[in-house]
Amino acid sequence: MSRYLLDKFLYTVDRDPELVERYREDPAGTVAWWEAEMANRILNCVDAERSTWLSFTEDERRALREHDHVALFQMGAHPFLTLTLFIAMFERDHGPLEYQKAYGRAMQHISLPYPDIAT
């Protein structure tokens, strides 16, 4: 499991409006494409600079495909990254602050100590 890779996915998708829409409409396809094309790309470098060893676990893929922010948090994904991305994807389907409140309610069963989110 790689908290870094989960956070990298959330960060890079959230910063590209086209990827946000793609992930909203086709999460499985977006996760598969991103893992194949972007996971090993080194950010802010020329495209030729790449790593070769990063990949999601099957549990990570499932949580990303299912937009499961609770599972992602329990795996160590940073909650700010999931919240900002998921607001961009789903807030439009809800009234003011309804999505944010539902996001929090879904995680209220999680108690201290919270999962480690350091990368």
Side-chain angles (χ1 to χ4, degrees):
M1 178 170 60
S2 170
R3 290 186 300 255
Y4 168 78
L5 195 59
L6 287 174
D7 286 349
K8 183 179 176 182
F9 174 89
L10 298 166
Y11 175 86
T12 58
V13 171
D14 190 34
R15 272 129 192 93
D16 183 331
E18 291 177 12
L19 276 178
V20 170
E21 293 308 310
R22 183 175 174 180
Y23 183 44
R24 175 185 160 97
E25 299 301 322
D26 180 19
T30 304
V31 170
W33 169 83
W34 191 93
E35 186 174 15
E37 299 296 325
M38 301 294 293
N40 286 295
R41 183 169 173 242
I42 299 173
L43 299 179
N44 302 316
C45 287
V46 295
D47 281 339
E49 293 291 332
R50 292 185 174 263
S51 177
T52 58
W53 59 275
L54 295 171
S55 63
F56 294 123
T57 65
E58 189 51 43
D59 288 338
E60 291 167 336
R61 283 185 206 97
R62 182 203 51 76
L64 290 168
R65 285 191 306 259
E66 295 176 6
H67 297 148
D68 187 345
H69 71 274
V70 177
L72 291 168
F73 177 69
Q74 291 172 319
M75 291 176 191
H78 198 288
F80 179 79
L81 295 173
T82 57
L83 180 61
T84 58
L85 174 56
F86 285 34
I87 286 172
M89 292 192 305
F90 302 121
E91 184 177 46
R92 67 188 93 162
D93 301 329
H94 304 275
L97 292 178
E98 285 181 17
Y99 182 77
Q100 291 87 328
K101 291 176 182 177
Y103 177 100
R105 277 192 306 274
M107 296 202 310
Q108 69 186 18
H109 69 282
I110 301 171
S111 60
L112 293 172
Y114 294 139
D116 182 5
I117 59 172
T119 53

